[in-house]
Amino acid sequence: MKYDIAVIGGGPAGLMAAGRAGESGAQVVLLEKNLRPGLKLLMTGNGRCNITSQIETPRLLVEKYGPSGKFLFSALSEFGPSEVIEFLENRGVAIKVEAGGRVFPKSDKAQDVLEALFNYLKESKVKIKTGAEVQEIVKKGRKIEKIILAGGEEVLADKFIIATGGKSYPTSGSTGDGYKWLKKLGHEIVPPAPALTPIIVKDKFVKRLEGLSLKNVKASLLEITEKNKKPIDSQIGDVMFMADGVSGPAILNLSRAAARALPAKLRLSLDLFPTLSLEKLDQKIRTDFESAKNKAIVGFLEKSWPRRLAETLAELAGIDPQKAVNSVTKDERRKLTELLKDFSLSVYGLAGFDRAMITSGGVKLSEIDPKTMKSKLIDNLYLAGEILDIDGPTGGFNLQVCWSTGYRAGQSAAQA
C-alpha cells in the first residue's frame, strides 16, 4: 500500500513527527530499525529524561543554541517548552521543574514519556513497523519515490520525513545512516562531531584524580597560538575528573565549542574560586595561613579538597606536600594562588560518539525551510531532530529541538 507519509526513525523527533502527522489526518507509517522505538529517549538524562528547559520566550530560548538558534525561532514559537509540558500533562505525565529550569517527569522515568508518545501514535492511527532497516532511498527527479528495506520490501509514500538522529549513543541505533542517504540526495552535511561529551586531556596526573568532583568551577576554553591565548568559551558548573580527562555539566557544555575549534591547540583553565579576584584570593590564603601555621600544606589544602587533589595542587605549585604552612615562601604561596585561579589542562581531544550525548554537525540549515522543515532540494522530504546541524547545551535543550522540529515537520507534511 501507499502511505501519505513515511517517517524514518523512531526517536523523539520521529515519534513526534509521526504522531502530529497522523493527528493532522494523514495516513502515516513509522519505520524503526530497532525492535522497539524510543531506545535513545530511554537513555536521556540517565534514564530520567530531561524533557525540556523552562524558558518561556522563544527569543531567550534560541540564544542557547548560538548562531544556529534563529533557525528554530518559528518552530519554538509554535511548539515550545510550555506546549511540550502541556502535551505530556494532557497524556498523564506529571511534570516537575528542578534547578536551572530543567524539566523532568515527576516519576523520574523516561519510560513514562515514551508511553505517552506511544499512546499519541495509537490515537493518531500511526502504523509502526519495527525491524525496518532502510537499505535505499530511491529518488526520481526532485522527489523521493520509495524506500527499500533491508529485506527487499518497498515502502511507498507521497511524503517522507527523515528523523534518524546523529551518531551519539550508537547502541541505540544512531549510527549516522541518515547522513549517507541525505548526501546521496544532494544535501550538504556539516561534518558530524561528538558534542556534550567529556574532554580528553594530555596531562597524566588526572588519572589519580579520577572520580573527584568540584562544585561551581569556572571552566574556560582557550585557543593557544604563538602570540596569545584567545578565549573561546567559558561555563560555570560542576566538573568531574576521569582517568583520561574531565566531564561534568560545565565541561559537557564547553565540548560544543571545543568540537568547533579543534584541531586547534586548546587549553582548559579551571578557576576554583570564580567569585574572587587573584588578589582577593591571595589575601584569603594569607589570612587562612595565619590560623594553620604549623600544619603541613597538604593538610591545609585538605580542609577544602580531597587528599588526592590536595597533594596534586601542592605538587603542581612546586611545594613539598609535607612542608609546614609557616615555611611556605611568598613565591610558593603566589604560585598556589595562581594555580587555584588557573588549574590548567592541555586538551587532547573529545571523547567519541559512544560517550557523547549529542552530535554537532548534520544537514546544513540553509538547505531547510525553517517554517516547514521541508528540504529545499527534494520536494517531498522533511527533516527533524538531531539530523540537523543544530545543537544546544545540557538541560533539555536538545530534546526540545526534537519536539519542536518533529511537530513542525509532521504538521507541514500532513498539510502540504
Side-chain angles (χ1 to χ4, degrees), residues 383-398:
L383 302 171
E386 201 179 341
I387 193 79
L388 299 166
D389 177 29
I390 189 161
D391 58 273
T394 59
F397 296 100
N398 293 291

mmCIF file of all heavy atoms in Angstrom, residues 383-398:
data_model
loop_
_atom_site.group_PDB
_atom_site.id
_atom_site.type_symbol
_atom_site.label_atom_id
_atom_site.label_comp_id
_atom_site.label_asym_id
_atom_site.label_seq_id
_atom_site.Cartn_x
_atom_site.Cartn_y
_atom_site.Cartn_z
ATOM 1 N N LEU A 383 12.727 17.135 7.332
ATOM 2 C CA LEU A 383 13.748 16.670 8.268
ATOM 3 C C LEU A 383 13.440 17.165 9.674
ATOM 4 O O LEU A 383 12.879 18.252 9.849
ATOM 5 C CB LEU A 383 15.133 17.174 7.852
ATOM 6 C CG LEU A 383 15.597 16.762 6.451
ATOM 7 C CD1 LEU A 383 16.869 17.486 6.073
ATOM 8 C CD2 LEU A 383 15.822 15.268 6.377
ATOM 9 N N ALA A 384 13.837 16.380 10.676
ATOM 10 C CA ALA A 384 13.571 16.773 12.070
ATOM 11 C C ALA A 384 14.601 16.167 13.003
ATOM 12 O O ALA A 384 15.117 15.084 12.761
ATOM 13 C CB ALA A 384 12.171 16.322 12.485
ATOM 14 N N GLY A 385 14.895 16.899 14.077
ATOM 15 C CA GLY A 385 15.730 16.373 15.143
ATOM 16 C C GLY A 385 17.218 16.533 14.941
ATOM 17 O O GLY A 385 17.688 17.453 14.271
ATOM 18 N N GLU A 386 17.966 15.609 15.500
ATOM 19 C CA GLU A 386 19.421 15.708 15.585
ATOM 20 C C GLU A 386 20.124 15.558 14.240
ATOM 21 O O GLU A 386 21.313 15.854 14.127
ATOM 22 C CB GLU A 386 19.932 14.636 16.557
ATOM 23 C CG GLU A 386 21.294 14.905 17.128
ATOM 24 C CD GLU A 386 21.747 13.838 18.109
ATOM 25 O OE1 GLU A 386 20.890 13.085 18.612
ATOM 26 O OE2 GLU A 386 22.959 13.752 18.365
ATOM 27 N N ILE A 387 19.404 15.124 13.217
ATOM 28 C CA ILE A 387 19.982 15.024 11.867
ATOM 29 C C ILE A 387 20.367 16.409 11.348
ATOM 30 O O ILE A 387 21.231 16.554 10.475
ATOM 31 C CB ILE A 387 18.984 14.337 10.895
ATOM 32 C CG1 ILE A 387 19.643 13.918 9.585
ATOM 33 C CG2 ILE A 387 17.769 15.211 10.610
ATOM 34 C CD1 ILE A 387 20.432 12.666 9.647
ATOM 35 N N LEU A 388 19.746 17.453 11.911
ATOM 36 C CA LEU A 388 20.012 18.832 11.507
ATOM 37 C C LEU A 388 21.272 19.366 12.200
ATOM 38 O O LEU A 388 21.620 18.929 13.292
ATOM 39 C CB LEU A 388 18.822 19.727 11.868
ATOM 40 C CG LEU A 388 17.485 19.376 11.219
ATOM 41 C CD1 LEU A 388 16.339 20.097 11.919
ATOM 42 C CD2 LEU A 388 17.504 19.728 9.738
ATOM 43 N N ASP A 389 21.924 20.332 11.563
ATOM 44 C CA ASP A 389 23.140 20.929 12.118
ATOM 45 C C ASP A 389 22.792 21.972 13.177
ATOM 46 O O ASP A 389 22.958 23.174 12.982
ATOM 47 C CB ASP A 389 23.980 21.552 10.994
ATOM 48 C CG ASP A 389 25.229 22.253 11.529
ATOM 49 O OD1 ASP A 389 25.730 21.812 12.590
ATOM 50 O OD2 ASP A 389 25.686 23.228 10.910
ATOM 51 N N ILE A 390 22.277 21.482 14.299
ATOM 52 C CA ILE A 390 21.956 22.384 15.412
ATOM 53 C C ILE A 390 22.050 21.597 16.707
ATOM 54 O O ILE A 390 21.625 20.444 16.764
ATOM 55 C CB ILE A 390 20.562 23.029 15.240
ATOM 56 C CG1 ILE A 390 20.347 24.108 16.288
ATOM 57 C CG2 ILE A 390 19.448 22.004 15.257
ATOM 58 C CD1 ILE A 390 19.238 25.082 15.936
ATOM 59 N N ASP A 391 22.674 22.205 17.702
ATOM 60 C CA ASP A 391 22.775 21.536 18.995
ATOM 61 C C ASP A 391 22.805 22.584 20.094
ATOM 62 O O ASP A 391 23.221 23.720 19.886
ATOM 63 C CB ASP A 391 24.017 20.641 19.057
ATOM 64 C CG ASP A 391 25.301 21.401 18.807
ATOM 65 O OD1 ASP A 391 25.707 21.553 17.635
ATOM 66 O OD2 ASP A 391 25.909 21.863 19.794
ATOM 67 N N GLY A 392 22.343 22.181 21.273
ATOM 68 C CA GLY A 392 22.278 23.097 22.406
ATOM 69 C C GLY A 392 23.020 22.540 23.604
ATOM 70 O O GLY A 392 23.549 21.429 23.573
ATOM 71 N N PRO A 393 23.049 23.297 24.712
ATOM 72 C CA PRO A 393 23.722 22.828 25.925
ATOM 73 C C PRO A 393 22.908 21.758 26.640
ATOM 74 O O PRO A 393 21.810 21.398 26.202
ATOM 75 C CB PRO A 393 23.826 24.109 26.769
ATOM 76 C CG PRO A 393 22.662 24.936 26.333
ATOM 77 C CD PRO A 393 22.472 24.642 24.866
ATOM 78 N N THR A 394 23.452 21.261 27.756
ATOM 79 C CA THR A 394 22.688 20.320 28.575
ATOM 80 C C THR A 394 21.515 21.056 29.215
ATOM 81 O O THR A 394 21.513 22.266 29.335
ATOM 82 C CB THR A 394 23.565 19.727 29.691
ATOM 83 O OG1 THR A 394 24.056 20.807 30.508
ATOM 84 C CG2 THR A 394 24.731 18.946 29.147
ATOM 85 N N GLY A 395 20.512 20.300 29.628
ATOM 86 C CA GLY A 395 19.391 20.920 30.337
ATOM 87 C C GLY A 395 18.069 20.804 29.610
ATOM 88 O O GLY A 395 17.148 21.574 29.883
ATOM 89 N N GLY A 396 17.938 19.872 28.668
ATOM 90 C CA GLY A 396 16.669 19.673 27.961
ATOM 91 C C GLY A 396 16.570 20.392 26.632
ATOM 92 O O GLY A 396 15.575 20.267 25.911
ATOM 93 N N PHE A 397 17.608 21.161 26.275
ATOM 94 C CA PHE A 397 17.545 21.977 25.054
ATOM 95 C C PHE A 397 17.573 21.121 23.785
ATOM 96 O O PHE A 397 16.973 21.487 22.771
ATOM 97 C CB PHE A 397 18.699 22.982 25.041
ATOM 98 C CG PHE A 397 18.613 23.982 26.148
ATOM 99 C CD1 PHE A 397 19.367 23.842 27.308
ATOM 100 C CD2 PHE A 397 17.746 25.058 26.069
ATOM 101 C CE1 PHE A 397 19.268 24.751 28.342
ATOM 102 C CE2 PHE A 397 17.636 25.978 27.100
ATOM 103 C CZ PHE A 397 18.402 25.823 28.243
ATOM 104 N N ASN A 398 18.263 19.992 23.826
ATOM 105 C CA ASN A 398 18.355 19.169 22.616
ATOM 106 C C ASN A 398 17.104 18.324 22.387
ATOM 107 O O ASN A 398 16.703 18.118 21.244
ATOM 108 C CB ASN A 398 19.622 18.312 22.680
ATOM 109 C CG ASN A 398 20.864 19.182 22.592
ATOM 110 O OD1 ASN A 398 21.160 19.759 21.558
ATOM 111 N ND2 ASN A 398 21.566 19.336 23.707
#
